[in-house]
């Protein structure tokens, strides 16, 4: 429980907004306000949480009872809401991705650097039991060399006509929706090394298909003729870090293979594998004691506290303590956004993209690679 009087406002009152609001109440803070353009959403939120509601975020961020704002809107609106909330003196937790474009994410980062309040970003899978156990076992793996990150659905396109498939609102498709989780978790596992080169291909294969099979009804009322399907539904990418470590990524809303959220970490002393967001983890080792052998260790974590809950608890604890966040930082989210941007650029140009920090002169860049400058 949070031993502080924290009033929370939620902007975006759909399923994610309600999920965060329930966690807020569970940890002892108070849900005092909500904002959403849809009247039914406002009425439902007010009924469940007893909070006053606003049609737009402008009134919420200046509400005198609001100390912290949670943003769960479509990606395009992260920037204006987050910046307005920070400038009003609030603390902010903004859902992933940080923004719909790299430029928008950089503006959020600039505002967060100037703000008195803290800003954190919603990468909840870092706090699932599997990753918590990985964190406690880090010394066991030796030097991490490569991460295989998968977030693949066999069929799971949100549906043409939704904001998820509208490039103006989402900024991208499967990569920005679910691939972002895999990228963040891979970089987090490696303690956010400096990324120097990214190569990737983004595909749009299934979304405009009238005969698209959707056995689970994931896309609701399927309309292959919708004009708003302008995004990728699968992505393959490879990321190289300055120290030679690498990440391979497969992210897809739809593809003709078995679904997978498998995450594999290779280390010089041991490896780990688990599903993203799961409660279990397996450690893979080999040894010579007695005879040459393999040693596989299975760990099962406590499923009573989910990644979303733990993340919200960390946010409220950081707000209550009045300190800078130690996890889910804007700087980390900006690194993830740079990788996403580079994947899309690579797909568009057919060439690898070099990501450089400001202190590296452009003359040092590999001539045949496109360059994406990192600027904070």
């Amino acid at each position: 429980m949070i031993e502080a009087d924290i009033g929370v406002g939620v902007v975006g009152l759909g399923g994610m907004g309600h999920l965060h609001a329930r966690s807020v109440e569970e940890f002892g803070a108070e849900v005092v306000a909500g904002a959403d353009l849809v009247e039914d959403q406002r009425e439902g939120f007010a009924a469940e949480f007893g909070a006053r509601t606003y049609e737009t975020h402008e009134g919420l961020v200046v509400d005198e009872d609001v100390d912290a704002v949670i943003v769960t809107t479509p990606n395009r609106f992260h920037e204006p809401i987050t910046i307005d909330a920070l400038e009003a003196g609030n603390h902010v937790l903004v859902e992933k991705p940080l923004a719909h474009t790299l430029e928008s994410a950089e503006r959020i980062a600039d505002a967060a650097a100037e703000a008195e309040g803290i800003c954190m970003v919603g990468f909840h899978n870092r706090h699932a039991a599997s990753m918590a156990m990985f964190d406690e076992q880090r010394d066991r793996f030796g030097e991490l060399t490569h991460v295989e990150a998968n977030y693949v659905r066999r069929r799971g396109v949100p549906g043409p006509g939704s904001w998820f498939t509208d490039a103006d609102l989402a900024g991208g498709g499967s990569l920005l929706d679910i691939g972002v989780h895999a990228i963040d978790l891979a970089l987090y596992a490696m303690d956010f090394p400096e990324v120097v080169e990214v190569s990737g291909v983004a595909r749009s294969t299934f979304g405009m298909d009238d005969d698209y099979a959707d056995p689970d009804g994931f896309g609701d009322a399927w309309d292959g003729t919708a004009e708003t399907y302008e995004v990728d539904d699968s992505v393959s990418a490879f990321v190289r870090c300055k120290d030679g470590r690498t990440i391979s990524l497969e992210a897809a809303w739809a593809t003709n293979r078995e679904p997978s959220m498998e995450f594999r970490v290779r280390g010089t002393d041991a490896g780990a594998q688990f599903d993203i967001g799961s409660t279990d983890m397996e450690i893979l080792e080999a040894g010579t004691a007695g005879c040459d052998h393999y040693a596989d260790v299975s760990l099962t974590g406590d499923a009573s506290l989910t990644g979303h809950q733990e993340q919200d608890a960390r946010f409220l604890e950081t707000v209550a303590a009045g300190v800078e966040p130690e996890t889910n930082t804007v700087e980390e989210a900006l690194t993830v956004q740079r990788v996403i941007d580079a994947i899309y650029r690579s797909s568009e140009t057919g060439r690898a993209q070099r990501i450089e920090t400001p202190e590296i002169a452009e003359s040092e860049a590999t001539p045949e690679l496109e360059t994406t400058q990192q600027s904070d």
Side-chain angles (χ1 to χ4, degrees):
M1 297 293 289
I2 304 301
E3 296 183 0
D5 186 12
I6 302 173
V8 177
V10 180
V11 183
L13 306 181
M16 286 302 300
H18 281 251
L19 183 66
H20 282 290
R22 294 184 191 114
S23 291
V24 165
E25 289 194 333
E26 182 175 343
F27 292 117
E30 183 181 3
V31 178
V32 297
D36 199 293
L37 294 174
V38 180
E39 183 178 2
D40 288 347
Q41 300 278 43
R42 297 197 300 272
E43 291 177 352
F45 192 82
E48 180 172 352
F49 299 103
R52 55 185 164 275
T53 59
Y54 299 87
E55 185 173 355
T56 63
H57 75 276
E58 286 89 353
L60 182 144
V61 300
V62 296
D63 188 315
E64 61 181 9
D65 292 327
V66 172
D67 304 300
V69 176
I70 299 176
V71 182
T72 69
T73 63
N75 304 338
R76 183 181 182 87
F77 307 114
H78 288 186
E79 179 190 343
I81 298 167
T82 299
I83 290 178
D84 284 353
L86 290 170
E87 290 181 347
N90 298 299
H91 307 283
V92 178
L93 173 63
V94 55
E95 266 297 341
K96 64 78 192 170
L98 183 55
H100 67 303
T101 68
L102 175 58
E103 294 76 18
S104 182
E106 288 175 333
R107 290 190 289 269
I108 293 175
D110 288 342
E114 297 295 326
E116 293 184 5
I118 68 161
C119 185
M120 294 175 64
V121 185
F123 289 110
H124 66 274
N125 288 305
R126 296 183 184 190
H127 307 291
S130 54
M131 201 63 200
M133 291 186 292
F134 176 88
D135 280 336
E136 289 300 315
Q137 300 284 335
R138 281 181 180 271
D139 291 344
R140 189 169 184 169
F141 302 111
E143 179 186 352
L144 302 185
T145 59
H146 181 72
V147 175
E148 303 169 38
N150 297 279
Y151 202 140
V152 175
R153 299 171 183 162
R154 185 172 179 179
R155 288 294 185 273
V157 179
S162 71
W163 75 262
F164 287 97
T165 60
D166 187 328
D168 288 337
L169 294 177
S174 60
L175 180 59
L176 269 167
D177 180 34
I178 57 178
V180 64
H181 283 300
I183 295 170
D184 174 74
L185 209 61
L187 291 170
Y188 175 75
M190 291 183 168
D191 199 23
F192 276 84
E194 183 181 339
V195 176
V196 293
E197 183 182 314
V198 177
S199 180
V201 175
R203 310 171 189 86
S204 183
T205 306
F206 297 96
M208 303 304 289
D209 186 357
D210 283 333
D211 295 325
Y212 172 79
D214 191 19
D216 298 321
F218 202 101
D220 200 10
W222 188 266
D223 180 8
T225 64
E227 296 180 357
T228 51
Y229 196 93
E230 307 162 345
V231 296
D232 53 280
D233 48 37
S234 71
V235 170
S236 301
F238 191 81
V239 178
R240 183 170 65 85
C241 303
K242 185 177 181 180
D243 57 11
R245 292 185 286 173
T246 52
I247 298 166
S248 57
L249 169 73
E250 290 290 340
W253 279 338
T255 186
N256 289 320
R257 60 155 286 183
E258 73 282 359
S260 174
M261 295 176 69
E262 192 170 56
F263 199 82
R264 294 175 177 263
V265 182
R266 303 183 203 170
T268 53
D269 295 337
Q273 62 186 40
F274 52 87
D275 280 357
I276 294 173
S278 71
T279 58
D280 302 328
M281 181 181 75
E282 188 173 10
I283 298 175
L284 307 176
E285 297 173 302
T288 58
C291 64
D292 292 356
H293 64 273
Y294 296 116
D296 299 346
V297 180
S298 296
L299 304 178
T300 299
D302 183 358
S304 64
L305 191 65
T306 68
H308 279 108
Q309 290 173 309
E310 179 63 20
Q311 171 190 266
D312 290 350
R314 296 281 189 95
F315 174 61
L316 294 172
E317 289 167 356
T318 304
V319 170
V323 297
E324 289 298 312
E326 296 181 355
T327 186
N328 294 62
T329 67
V330 170
E331 291 77 13
E332 292 168 342
L334 189 56
T335 297
V336 174
Q337 197 91 36
R338 286 175 177 139
V339 172
I340 290 170
D341 179 75
I343 291 172
Y344 282 138
R345 287 174 181 266
S346 176
S347 185
E348 290 170 1
T349 63
R351 302 173 67 181
Q353 300 290 301
R354 190 169 184 86
I355 300 179
E356 297 184 350
T357 52
E359 63 269 16
I360 299 176
E362 284 194 18
S363 60
E364 296 179 10
T366 305
E368 66 272 18
L369 298 179
E370 299 290 336
T371 300
T372 299
Q373 189 77 9
Q374 291 189 3
S375 57
D376 290 321

